[in-house]
Amino acid sequence: MKILLTGGAGYIGSHVLVCCLQAGHDVCVLDNFSNSSPEAITRVEALCERKVHVERGDIRDIALLRRILSEGGFDAVLHFAGVKAVGESVAKPLKYYDINVAGSITLAQAMQEAGVYRLVFSSTAAVYGDQSAMPLTETSALGQAASPYGRSKRMVEQVFEDLQMSDPRFGIAILRYFNPVGAHPSGRIGEDPRGEPANLVPYAMQVAVGQREVLSVFGDDYPTSDGTGVRDYIHIMDLAQGHLAALDYLVSTSEYRVWNLGTGRGHSVKEVINCLNEVTGKVLPLRIVERRPGDTAQCWADPSKAVADLDWHATRGLHDMLADHWRWQQQNPDGYGKR
Ligand code: NAD
Ligand code: UD1
């Protein structure tokens, strides 16, 4: 297949790019590198021994999208481009609605004009309400997301659902990610956060390599087994392979479908830290602090719909995720270097 990958230089996009190239697909990446480095693409090219066509530009640029899509002969679009910092989204909601919502609408308009009807979209478990029982299924109640970021993702889901209803030529897969962690086992590509990491594993990794002094545990008084928050961490390569499975599904059907991509297993913050201590051979310095506003006690997936429909399931456990993430972190303490 010929695939347009928006945001293909980012953390998730670059790992999906590897899977696409290894599956023999022809891929064009569209990225403005606002949160990534061209070095990620260079490394993917070296890993896969394939060249990737790269368009530097913005998903909100309709003229650019028209040109790329009308000239390209694409069979599908995998849409990762967007902004994802929960805290920043509270301070700058318009940026989030503009890039995530308006950008996705612009992309869909250009796809419709060019007659490209297969679309896979990166959504998030943050769209579920925090009162739902665990594990979360695709039919669990959708809540009032805790942030403009979460709401922007839910809005795009709704836009795409309406679009598919109005134009049944579209096949649209919504993938609700749980917590992606890890890196390609080569250690050549991985997550490269800018500034202070907002998420647990990237922060803990920077503590482990000595770039930060202490890991704050956000609350140990949750109603969970050990009092710390529980999440469904999923290996980035398992997550990436879920995209190829969704793409395969869209080859034979034109529908709007939603799938959870998670492992079905929750781990507490303390379990993650214990496993990380094992993997790194260090004891991470910790301090228990207040709960982080907007956090829920627990969140994990029921992935059985993806297992049934897509014949996909996560095969790697927490130890694999942290070992691969640690390899990337050790080999690239400064990520892809200066951006
Ligand atoms: P990322 O920031 O590493 O990748 C996003 C990529 O999109 C970057 O390369 C960035 O430069 C690019 N980009 C941003 N705005 C753009 C624009 N206007 N035009 C073109 N390119 C643009 O993030 P990621 O972790 O790889 O996430 C990919 C997608 O998955 C995002 O949509 C994110 O919201 C979603 N998601 C991520 C997580 C997670 O934990 N990482 C969880 C759920 C959903
Ligand atoms: C966060 C986002 C969510 C987004 C997801 C992407 C918030 C409120 N939620 O989810 O919208 O889709 O990332 O992966 O930001 N923790 C610590 N110390 C830290 C960091 C985190 O104890 O320094 C705890 C958190 O309280 C939580 C767990 O670790 O219990 C995981 O946190 P994180 O990695 O930030 O992911 P989420 O909060 O699940």
Side-chain angles (χ1 to χ4, degrees):
M1 268 196 251
K2 181 148 188 205
I3 301 168
L4 176 64
L5 223 148
T6 75
Y11 173 43
I12 301 172
S14 57
H15 289 80
V16 174
L17 178 59
V18 169
C19 294
C20 287
L21 293 174
Q22 288 178 342
H25 297 302
D26 190 5
V27 186
C28 169
V29 167
L30 167 63
D31 203 302
N32 66 0
F33 300 105
S34 57
N35 196 38
S36 55
S37 163
E39 174 66 12
I41 306 282
T42 306
R43 295 205 187 173
V44 171
E45 289 180 326
L47 267 176
C48 300
E49 299 179 339
R50 296 263 313 266
K51 286 304 279 181
V52 176
H53 180 77
V54 179
E55 295 275 357
R56 183 187 278 261
D58 198 294
I59 51 163
R60 293 163 296 175
D61 181 345
I62 184 79
L64 174 69
L65 285 164
R66 280 189 179 127
R67 176 180 63 70
I68 295 171
L69 283 161
S70 65
E71 288 172 1
F74 290 99
D75 300 294
V77 176
L78 303 184
H79 177 32
F80 300 95
V83 277
K84 62 169 184 178
V86 173
E88 187 194 45
S89 80
V90 176
K92 297 181 180 169
L94 294 181
K95 174 177 175 185
Y96 279 68
Y97 294 124
D98 184 27
I99 297 175
N100 291 356
V101 182
S104 297
I105 292 172
T106 304
L107 172 67
Q109 280 169 338
M111 287 176 66
Q112 195 173 35
E113 284 173 24
V116 180
Y117 296 114
R118 285 187 199 102
L119 174 61
V120 179
F121 175 62
S122 304
S123 189
T124 167
V127 299
Y128 292 113
D130 59 7
Q131 302 306 319
S132 298
M134 296 298 134
L136 294 162
T137 71
E138 291 78 357
T139 53
S140 292
L142 300 175
Q144 171 67 327
S147 68
Y149 165 70
R151 283 193 282 281
S152 74
K153 289 287 173 180
R154 178 62 195 138
M155 283 178 197
V156 177
E157 291 186 357
Q158 289 168 316
V159 168
F160 287 165
E161 186 170 12
D162 288 342
L163 172 64
Q164 199 284 331
M165 240 178 334
S166 72
D167 186 345
R169 290 172 296 183
F170 272 98
I172 302 181
I174 304 294
L175 302 182
R176 292 184 180 150
Y177 307 154
F178 282 69
N179 291 57
V181 168
H184 189 271
S186 65
R188 297 297 294 152
I189 59 168
E191 185 169 15
D192 182 16
R194 283 190 174 179
E196 186 175 303
N199 298 114
L200 176 64
V201 172
Y203 199 103
M205 290 287 166
Q206 292 193 359
V207 175
V209 285
Q211 289 174 341
R212 299 193 185 269
E213 275 177 17
V214 57
L215 175 67
S216 298
V217 174
F218 296 148
D220 66 351
D221 56 353
Y222 282 107
T224 59
S225 58
D226 62 22
T228 63
V230 170
R231 298 290 184 275
D232 187 339
Y233 298 94
I234 175 168
H235 196 295
I236 187 73
M237 296 308 296
D238 281 328
L239 188 85
Q241 276 149 1
H243 292 72
L244 291 201
L247 206 52
D248 277 352
Y249 187 92
L250 294 182
V251 168
S252 53
T253 177
S254 302
E255 292 168 356
Y256 171 88
R257 303 282 288 197
V258 180
W259 289 288
N260 284 340
L261 293 187
T263 65
R265 179 125 201 243
H267 292 284
S268 73
V269 174
K270 282 189 181 161
E271 281 178 304
V272 172
I273 293 166
N274 289 340
C275 188
L276 196 57
N277 287 343
E278 240 176 76
V279 163
T280 60
K282 301 171 187 241
V283 178
L284 292 197
L286 304 178
R287 65 172 170 223
I288 309 292
V289 300
E290 290 296 295
R291 293 179 180 190
R292 181 172 63 181
D295 270 358
T296 57
Q298 49 189 15
C299 175
W300 73 89
D302 176 348
S304 54
K305 185 164 177 256
V307 173
D309 294 349
L310 305 178
D311 193 21
W312 166 91
H313 69 280
T315 59
R316 299 153 177 99
L318 187 63
H319 192 276
D320 303 320
M321 299 174 213
L322 295 177
D324 287 340
H325 208 122
W326 178 233
R327 186 177 308 106
W328 151 257
Q329 185 75 45
Q330 276 186 303
Q331 291 180 12
N332 308 271
D334 299 316
Y336 292 113
K338 284 213 160 40
R339 294 192 234 159

